[in-house]
Amino acid sequence: SSGSKDASSSSSKSNDLISIGFAQVGHESDWRTASTESCRSTFSKENGYDLSFVDCDNKSADQLEAVRNFVEQEVDYIIIDPIVETGWDTVLKEAKDAGIPVLVIDRNIKADESLYTAWVGSDFTAEGESAGAWLKAYLEAKKKTDKVNIVTIAGTNGSSAQIGRTKGFNKYVKANGWNLLDEQDGDFTQDGGQKIMESYLKSYKDIDVVVCQNDNEAFGAIDALKAAGKTYGKDGDIIIISFDATNAGLKDVKEGSINADFECNPLAAPYVEDIIKKIKDGGKPDSQKVYVDEACFACDDTVSSFKTDEGKDITMTVVDDKVL
Ligand code: AHR
């Protein structure tokens, strides 16, 4: 199936509501739930919108079809959170020809900038760089200078979140001579994280660091490590790094099972609403690319602040009762 469609939604222009078609990635993670909720509450009827929401169930073909349907329905605006970076040109041209502004959120697309109105999302490469620079500082603080064995549980292959985080983190792998044992696609799900961690544990005896490209994968990896009797996190043998910093993720950071968590901000919708208001008033977005603010969290103050190789100053927030 192509995921769920809101039965209640329609793109009729017979009222004053602004019609929006939103082609969401799917429902693979806690982060995604937060993103969907943010869009639904921002683009509610009470706020003057008629939101047609399509959960694309992580299937690129379904997502292209959803966008095409929005064009046919002549919605006022289209929002896309692209599952993968590539393959967008044709459908974006169709939307452009129909005069429908397209707002891209969260993940990036590789397409000519003239084909969409604006993008609001995360700097995934910077997230990966922050994680790499944190690990470097953490290992130095712990005086761990011998061989560092790392496994990565990657996100959906071809998504800009996976591409950016991998690129950013792997720069540090290379620069510091760390040993990247393996890097497999966990599809940003808890189940994927668990299965891949189980297979890593069978293949590799000596793992020092597990990099999970989102919190749900980290939850799955932790289940696998626990079942195998491994120690991890704050007081354990294996360092766990994650991305997203969802509430559930930060709970694990606070408890010390995740060492460090690099935020991915799911609240793009209010920024998109600002852009829509500007367009409605005859203007255009201040900028074609908007980066949302993101913080970095740790379970303790072993490393409280550091500079990345790219020259960025990072402060780690220790997750305690005040944060959660
Ligand atoms: O695109 C954002 C990523 O996708 C988040 O890290 C992940 O949790 C989600 O599924």
Side-chain angles (χ1 to χ4, degrees):
S1 96
S2 64
S4 64
K5 247 175 235 204
D6 279 2
S8 60
S9 64
S10 83
S11 55
S12 132
K13 292 185 171 182
S14 58
N15 48 32
D16 292 337
L17 298 177
I18 297 171
S19 61
I20 296 183
F22 175 29
Q24 173 64 297
V25 169
H27 50 272
E28 71 286 0
S29 64
D30 289 20
W31 186 97
R32 189 63 54 201
T33 307
S35 156
T36 294
E37 277 169 9
S38 165
C39 268
R40 283 194 189 280
S41 62
T42 304
F43 300 114
S44 63
K45 282 233 157 63
E46 300 76 63
N47 289 347
Y49 298 96
D50 178 12
L51 178 67
S52 182
F53 175 87
V54 179
D55 173 338
C56 301
D57 202 20
N58 220 20
K59 297 185 180 90
S60 291
D62 289 8
Q63 193 168 40
L64 289 175
E65 191 195 316
V67 175
R68 208 153 262 143
N69 286 339
F70 294 147
V71 174
E72 261 167 41
Q73 290 160 19
E74 298 179 352
V75 296
D76 296 319
Y77 299 89
I78 294 173
I79 303 175
I80 305 172
D81 190 330
I83 297 167
V84 292
E85 272 192 352
T86 52
W88 287 102
D89 290 73
T90 310
V91 77
L92 289 180
K93 272 188 200 121
E94 288 166 17
K96 195 177 179 188
D97 289 347
I100 304 173
V102 172
L103 288 318
V104 181
I105 64 166
D106 170 38
R107 300 181 182 174
N108 317 69
I109 50 174
K110 264 204 177 132
D112 195 292
E113 286 185 5
S114 68
L115 292 178
Y116 57 98
T117 307
W119 165 86
V120 179
S122 304
D123 188 337
F124 298 109
T125 305
E127 290 174 4
E129 290 163 355
S130 299
W134 174 85
L135 181 61
K136 182 181 168 194
Y138 187 81
L139 293 171
E140 273 165 19
K142 293 283 184 189
K143 308 219 173 339
K144 180 160 174 42
T145 47
D146 51 339
K147 199 156 143 208
V148 180
N149 288 327
I150 301 177
V151 289
T152 292
I153 301 173
T156 303
N157 196 29
S159 68
S160 73
Q162 174 265 326
I163 293 168
R165 287 172 189 160
T166 302
K167 183 175 162 212
F169 184 80
N170 286 1
K171 268 199 243 174
Y172 286 80
V173 169
K174 202 166 168 217
N176 295 287
W178 298 333
N179 187 22
L180 182 59
L181 295 168
D182 216 330
E183 192 173 47
Q184 283 179 36
D185 183 354
D187 230 358
F188 285 129
T189 65
Q190 179 157 347
D191 195 42
Q194 183 173 345
K195 289 205 172 103
I196 290 182
M197 193 66 235
E198 283 166 359
S199 88
Y200 285 165
L201 286 166
K202 281 190 196 122
S203 308
Y204 308 108
K205 276 204 167 50
D206 188 13
I207 296 172
D208 301 303
V209 184
V210 181
V211 179
C212 307
Q213 287 190 348
N214 82 345
D215 283 343
N216 291 80
E217 291 181 338
F219 305 151
I222 287 170
D223 286 345
L225 289 165
K226 222 186 272 172
K230 300 283 180 192
T231 64
Y232 49 86
K234 190 172 178 199
D235 303 312
D237 295 327
I238 299 173
I239 298 165
I240 302 202
I241 293 175
S242 184
F243 294 87
D244 278 2
T246 54
N247 275 342
L250 290 184
K251 210 169 137 259
D252 277 9
V253 178
K254 189 172 143 195
E255 282 166 4
S257 16
I258 294 175
N259 294 77
D261 205 341
F262 297 85
E263 188 187 13
C264 182
N265 183 339
L267 309 179
Y271 295 83
V272 171
E273 190 185 23
D274 261 13
I275 294 172
I276 288 177
K277 281 184 173 151
K278 285 209 170 84
I279 298 172
K280 235 188 126 228
D281 293 343
K284 49 181 193 144
D286 297 337
S287 142
Q288 224 254 347
K289 282 194 163 49
V290 181
Y291 289 95
V292 290
D293 290 335
E294 302 190 311
C296 305
F297 298 90
C299 66
D300 62 23
D301 61 1
T302 306
V303 174
S304 46
S305 62
F306 57 92
K307 209 187 229 337
T308 66
D309 291 353
E310 293 72 30
K312 200 166 153 193
D313 290 307
I314 306 278
T315 303
M316 300 299 290
T317 301
V318 176
V319 182
D320 54 18
D321 293 335
K322 277 176 269 155
V323 177
L324 259 194

